[in-house]
Amino acid sequence: MPHRPAPAYARTAALAAGSLVLVLAAGASPAAPAPAPPPTAGVRATAVAAAPGTGTVLASYAIRSTAEVSDTAAEVSSPGYPVTGWYPAGSRSTVLAALLAAGAYPDPFYSTQQKQIPAGDFTVPWWYRSDFTVADPGARTYLDFSGVISAADVYVNGRRVADAGTVTGAYTRHELDVTALVRAGTNTVAFRIRPNNPRKHLTMGWLDWLQPPPDENMGIVRDVTVRRGGPVALRDAHVVTSLALPSMATAELTVKARVRNDSAAAVTTTVSGTVGPASVSRSVTLAPHETRTVVFSPADHPGLRLASPRVWWPAAMGGQPLYSLDLTASVDGTASDTAHESFGIRDVRAPLNADGARQYVVNGRPLLIRGAGWSPDEFLRWDTRYTEDRLRYALDLGLNALRLEGHIEPDEFFDLADRYGILTLPGWECCDKWEGEVNGSEAGERWESADYPVAKASMAAEAARLRHHPSVASFLIGSDFAPDRTIEQGYLDALEAADWTAPVVPSASARSSPVTGRSGMKMTGPYDWVPPGYWYAKREGGATGFNSETSAGPDVPTLDTLRRMLSPAELESLWKDPSAAQYHRSPSSTFATLRLYDAALAGRYGAPTGLEDYVRKAQLAQYEAVRAQFEAYARNAKDASAPSTGVVYWMFNSGWTSLHWQLVDRYLDQGGAYFGAKKANEPLHIQYGYDNRAVSVVNSRAAAASGLTARVTLFDPDGTQRYDRTVTGLSVAGGGASSTALTLPASVPGLATTHLARLLLTDADGREISRNVYWLSSRADVLDYSGSTWYHTPTTAYADLKGLSSMPRSAVAATSATASDGQGVSTTTVTVRHTGKGSAPALLTDVHLLGAGGEPLLPVRWSDNQITLWPGESATLTAVYRTADLRGAAPALRISGWNTPTTTVPAG
């Protein structure tokens, strides 16, 4: 997350907000209450399973502002309390998410409608109330939960069981034994949720990602589970894996679990179960209320030493097999509690290389991290299918990692990442309370004594939750800054106690921590527009080392998405007024406008003539910018000096409808940024170097490639050929190696100032493996590195790409056929052909699949798109999507491009 010091007015406002909470808690009149809700519907008692070892998630809540509830906590939290007029909320819901679901406010993703939501509604606590039924009150009953933002007093059946001094922090986990309070029939749990302020609490904030939600995400955003058990509780069961390297011929598994006697009498329990193919068992005698850790190791259970283990790999490197741990604690032959966990066998390390950069190594094989920053929904609404769609997009783009700066997603996210083979880089967020006490002299939100145990407890809870996921490649205990010694040691102690085996990174920036040392990462930006050539210089944010967050900033979405998110007046301002503050860019004054971006767009391509022309030029600019970022880091990965080791595009997606920092937009539509990344990250790829005019082949496959042919042709915009060269017999090693095929001459007789370069890579049989088309200028972009700031490097002269506007119109025809697999997935195969006359190519031809009402059919995964065709050329593309998303309509194809008229035809 970009760092900037908090301005005085922001800090004053934060302090004022904190004071307001205290005043209201003392009984002063609150701000205007939320609109009167409709009668509560859909909030029913959750039937809790009776079997020992089961856990039942509270299905829903009734919520209401304490400003509107005059009854006592004992009354509110007692069974039978009337909740007519309360709002329904799901099992994971912020206050505002529930209000939006109930229709209390207009769609905050459109225009400036979020401004209509009064922040004063959320300056007082809110009640969350849920009923659950129990048939057998004799079994032990526990409330198990985390994800409370920011803190809560907790009540069960009229009795307070925990206060906000204990239940505080978004990531701390709590288990409350409520056996003595539970009765047969209906029971009630109620949370009095305190308001959130991410500058004052160890929770979650948004800084400059988006316009922050007026409720600051107060609520319960993870499951509250009612767990049942017998006299012995089985907790913290996990497997520590050790893979033999480099052979990977064997792996050793060590199983650990805590057994706790919750009864007043001594008891003997037998802990038994299976760990992958092995069985384990041991009996333990526990004194009253004693807790003991049970360990099963290969020394006493030889079956835990596996031969030929099934090893987990990132998606592009191998398979993603998982093993299971299943344990039962029994007393007198009766199950008292159970534990279940999946895990993977893999080895992840991240040493510093000779240049001090962090190099990730999986199962002994180094890899270039090609990542992007992940954002949850602005209102922290969890949707498994929507998340899975985005993860599939990440794989489609050739990404192998996602960074989660704060906003660490629920368990299902990491389950999906395990399944899809996507590495994750979770960590704490910057520029709020999490970085109030840092290893340096920077000002921040000072910590109080109560914050230290909350931070350590947060680390302990997340470590225990994430340690078994093979997709979790490290944990970043700092973001823009590294923690001071006290905080760092607390984190490290918690990680060690949790048997954490993945690397621990002190900071996402080039900050060192007192114990862990150097970060091996850099956070030099940029976060706003820079030209494609910027990425090739080994300085600032260029392709050297590990850049933890960086991009050329704005990513203007497609016209379809823009019309869904902006009003007509805002659409007009978007292309006409570069100095206008864009609400859908950022609350930060640094990123409020598109001034730098718009100046580059006009300077390089020519001033926009209308909204469609602005968006057309934006897609072209974003394609070349994103492609260059990933290509530069890929080309430099095996350099002998100062190689690149990782790049995290800032960001993969946005939590709302946005104009910046996104490879894919809120509605999962794909534009130039998306297809630029997809092109750059091809497994075997031909590319152009903006710095040295070299044409290189980059091979991210494991195996070497040989017998390749590279052909490079230069054209004027009208299609006149000015240069053509073919190189045969090329070979390139695997594992991210690159090989230079040829270097283009500094000048070519007769070549226009604005020109096109077509790069083709074919195999020994003449089959096309990679095609890449660049629009270039003999007049280079000129960067002023002396004027660099933390968010961009100024450009003092622009490349002249205005010649593209003179390209003749080109006709493109399409034929298609659609087939369904019978499992709910359809594939439309599209053949596009340049059918125009003359010699001009059809530049950046885009094919959109349309569904019901002529709207884009989303999500969709294209084999390729935004392609460039010369006269007579054709390309076959495939689009994969859910059949049900057609909603019974026949699909259609919309074809458009830089110099191609937009046409819509039925899809076969």
Side-chain angles (χ1 to χ4, degrees):
M1 181 182 294
H3 168 75
R4 70 219 192 303
Y9 69 84
R11 292 177 59 83
T12 302
L15 290 169
S19 299
L20 181 59
V21 171
L22 296 176
V23 169
L24 293 173
S29 298
T40 304
V43 180
R44 296 182 176 86
T46 301
V48 171
T54 58
T56 305
V57 176
L58 295 180
S60 60
Y61 300 91
I63 73 169
R64 198 162 193 181
S65 169
T66 58
E68 300 174 330
V69 177
S70 59
D71 298 313
T72 65
E75 292 172 308
V76 171
S77 61
S78 294
Y81 179 81
V83 291
T84 300
W86 288 44
Y87 288 97
S91 60
R92 307 170 186 171
S93 179
T94 66
V95 171
L96 189 48
L99 299 183
L100 291 170
Y105 301 116
D107 177 11
F109 285 179
Y110 177 74
S111 186
T112 59
Q113 289 185 160
Q114 184 164 272
K115 290 183 177 180
Q116 299 179 31
I117 303 174
D121 292 350
F122 314 108
T123 56
V124 296
W126 279 64
W127 279 113
Y128 275 60
R129 186 187 184 284
S130 186
D131 289 335
F132 63 93
T133 60
V134 170
D136 175 19
R140 302 207 69 83
T141 306
Y142 312 85
L143 288 180
D144 188 337
F145 59 91
S146 65
V148 172
I149 302 178
S150 65
D153 302 300
V154 186
Y155 298 82
V156 172
N157 290 345
R159 294 277 301 276
R160 190 175 74 177
V161 294
D163 62 28
T166 301
V167 180
T168 183
Y171 298 102
T172 56
R173 185 171 179 177
H174 308 275
E175 182 183 66
L176 307 177
D177 188 338
V178 295
T179 305
L181 298 176
V182 170
R183 65 193 70 169
T186 301
N187 298 267
T188 300
V189 58
F191 294 80
R192 184 163 55 196
I193 307 290
R194 302 286 182 90
N196 185 37
N197 181 341
R199 287 195 172 274
K200 299 299 178 186
H201 310 301
L202 293 169
T203 54
M204 302 180 191
W206 292 99
L207 192 65
D208 47 12
W209 294 15
L210 46 72
Q211 299 291 347
D215 72 338
E216 296 284 8
N217 293 133
M218 69 182 297
I220 302 176
V221 298
R222 292 185 182 169
D223 291 339
V224 175
T225 302
V226 182
R227 298 178 66 167
R228 310 302 302 284
V232 172
L234 186 60
R235 298 290 185 264
D236 200 35
H238 62 283
V239 181
V240 182
T241 67
S242 178
L243 178 65
L245 293 177
S247 70
M248 294 184 286
T250 61
E252 294 192 344
L253 312 180
T254 300
V255 183
K256 296 184 179 182
R258 286 187 292 111
V259 285
R260 186 182 68 215
N261 181 7
D262 284 336
S263 73
V267 64
T268 297
T269 181
T270 299
V271 180
S272 59
T274 58
V275 191
S279 297
V280 295
S281 182
R282 177 170 297 141
S283 293
V284 179
T285 299
L286 300 170
H289 305 294
E290 181 186 5
T291 299
R292 191 181 301 181
T293 298
V294 176
V295 180
F296 302 100
S297 71
D300 51 49
H301 287 76
L304 296 177
R305 185 174 290 109
L306 305 185
S308 302
R310 294 179 292 119
V311 177
W312 186 96
W313 291 93
M317 301 174 72
Q320 295 77 49
L322 297 174
Y323 289 86
S324 295
L325 167 68
D326 296 282
L327 293 180
T328 299
S330 301
V331 176
D332 297 329
T334 300
S336 179
D337 205 355
T338 61
H340 312 279
E341 186 177 274
S342 64
F343 64 96
I345 296 175
R346 60 94 178 97
D347 182 278
V348 177
R349 303 181 189 186
L352 302 184
N353 66 12
D355 298 290
R358 197 162 291 274
Q359 172 68 70
Y360 281 80
V361 181
V362 178
N363 301 329
R365 286 170 52 183
L367 77 161
L368 171 71
I369 293 293
R370 305 176 193 234
W374 178 269
S375 175
D377 172 74
E378 176 179 5
F379 307 109
L380 304 184
R381 294 170 293 193
W382 175 257
D383 185 321
T384 299
R385 189 170 81 165
Y386 183 58
T387 300
E388 190 167 9
D389 288 338
R390 286 178 289 165
L391 291 178
R392 284 174 171 163
Y393 270 12
L395 285 182
D396 184 52
L397 290 179
L399 302 181
N400 58 22
L402 293 167
R403 181 180 167 216
L404 289 77
E405 187 198 342
H407 308 94
I408 305 176
E409 292 278 37
D411 295 338
E412 294 95 326
F413 174 89
F414 296 96
D415 290 338
L416 289 169
D418 291 345
R419 196 169 88 204
Y420 285 116
I422 300 174
L423 297 174
T424 62
L425 309 174
W428 306 129
E429 65 193 49
C430 93
C431 312
D432 55 18
K433 189 59 176 282
W434 285 103
E435 291 193 337
E437 301 285 348
V438 299
N439 182 37
S441 59
E442 295 80 6
E445 300 293 341
R446 300 295 91 184
W447 282 27
E448 300 173 359
S449 59
D451 293 316
Y452 293 88
V454 173
K456 184 175 181 179
S458 299
M459 186 73 266
E462 289 303 284
R465 189 173 72 92
L466 300 177
R467 64 191 166 196
H468 68 280
H469 288 285
S471 60
V472 177
S474 60
F475 197 96
L476 282 73
I477 57 175
S479 180
D480 291 30
F481 303 107
D484 68 13
R485 181 177 292 275
T486 302
I487 299 172
E488 181 186 20
Q489 193 60 60
Y491 290 151
L492 295 176
D493 290 345
L495 287 161
E496 181 180 14
D499 292 320
W500 185 265
T501 60
V504 179
V505 181
S507 173
S509 67
R511 305 287 179 131
S512 298
S513 62
V515 182
T516 309
R518 291 185 296 171
S519 71
M521 294 190 174
K522 65 178 182 178
M523 191 185 286
T524 49
Y527 301 96
D528 214 323
W529 188 85
V530 290
Y534 170 94
W535 301 104
Y536 289 83
K538 291 191 176 184
R539 57 181 300 174
E540 312 300 334
T544 181
F546 194 115
N547 198 337
S548 68
E549 49 182 65
T550 187
S551 76
D555 284 300
V556 174
T558 64
L559 193 57
D560 295 293
T561 292
L562 286 171
R563 286 173 170 154
R564 293 179 70 174
M565 62 184 269
L566 301 179
S567 69
E570 289 166 331
L571 290 171
E572 192 81 355
S573 173
L574 179 64
W575 72 271
K576 280 187 174 180
D577 189 359
S579 63
Q582 298 291 340
Y583 186 71
H584 283 264
R585 187 165 185 212
S586 173
S588 164
S589 59
T590 302
F591 304 117
T593 74
L594 291 168
R595 179 180 57 84
L596 296 174
Y597 177 82
D598 288 352
L601 215 60
R604 301 174 92 241
Y605 292 102
T609 59
L611 176 63
E612 291 190 18
D613 185 54
Y614 177 83
V615 175
R616 181 177 71 123
K617 289 172 176 171
Q619 301 314 311
L620 209 64
Q622 288 156 195
Y623 189 108
E624 63 167 348
V626 175
R627 175 178 60 182
Q629 178 177 332
F630 282 108
E631 284 184 340
Y633 273 84
R635 190 198 68 180
N636 292 357
K638 296 298 182 179
D639 285 1
S641 175
S644 56
T645 60
V647 60
V648 176
Y649 185 90
W650 205 249
M651 299 179 65
F652 175 72
N653 67 302
S654 177
W656 81 325
T657 43
S658 180
L659 294 169
H660 78 161
W661 296 346
Q662 56 187 355
L663 292 175
V664 59
D665 69 37
R666 170 69 192 179
Y667 302 112
L668 303 182
D669 205 355
Q670 306 144 318
Y674 186 96
F675 291 112
K678 182 177 174 68
K679 176 58 62 178
N681 292 323
E682 289 176 329
L684 186 57
H685 177 65
I686 189 168
Q687 64 184 63
Y688 168 80
Y690 283 85
D691 59 337
N692 59 8
R693 305 184 310 281
V695 174
S696 305
V697 178
V698 178
N699 182 15
S700 59
R701 297 172 176 171
S706 60
L708 305 174
T709 297
R711 181 184 179 188
V712 182
T713 314
L714 301 182
F715 302 87
D716 289 344
D718 65 1
T720 301
Q721 182 175 311
R722 299 294 186 181
Y723 175 91
D724 188 48
R725 185 180 173 192
T726 299
V727 179
T728 61
L730 291 171
S731 62
V732 58
S738 65
S739 177
T740 300
L742 61 97
T743 299
L744 293 177
S747 64
V748 173
L751 185 65
T753 300
T754 302
H755 51 275
L756 301 172
R758 182 182 65 193
L759 282 57
L760 299 176
L761 184 69
T762 53
D763 64 13
D765 296 321
R767 290 174 299 205
E768 186 176 293
I769 300 171
S770 176
R771 163 188 286 248
N772 211 348
V773 176
Y774 295 81
W775 37 104
L776 303 170
S777 173
S778 58
R779 185 179 304 163
D781 295 293
V782 179
L783 288 154
D784 175 17
Y785 282 102
S786 66
S788 295
T789 65
W790 63 270
Y791 62 93
H792 91 124
T793 295
T795 303
T796 58
Y798 296 112
D800 184 0
L801 299 172
K802 298 181 180 68
L804 296 178
S805 62
S806 65
M807 291 181 69
R809 304 281 270 182
S810 297
V812 175
T815 58
S816 63
T818 298
S820 176
D821 67 355
Q823 304 296 315
V825 177
S826 290
T827 300
T828 296
T829 302
V830 183
T831 299
V832 288
R833 181 180 297 276
H834 188 312
T835 58
K837 298 178 181 180
S839 57
L843 179 62
L844 217 69
T845 299
D846 178 272
V847 183
H848 255 68
L849 198 62
L850 307 181
E855 299 297 323
L857 184 64
L858 301 169
V860 60
R861 297 191 306 282
W862 288 94
S863 59
D864 197 3
N865 210 326
Q866 298 202 345
I867 59 174
T868 299
L869 298 172
W870 268 257
E873 286 187 330
S874 64
T876 299
L877 317 175
T878 57
V880 180
Y881 53 93
R882 282 187 291 265
T883 308
D885 289 344
L886 284 168
R887 290 181 284 162
L893 300 173
R894 185 179 68 204
I895 304 154
S896 61
W898 174 259
N899 58 325
T900 301
T902 300
T903 57
T904 301
V905 297

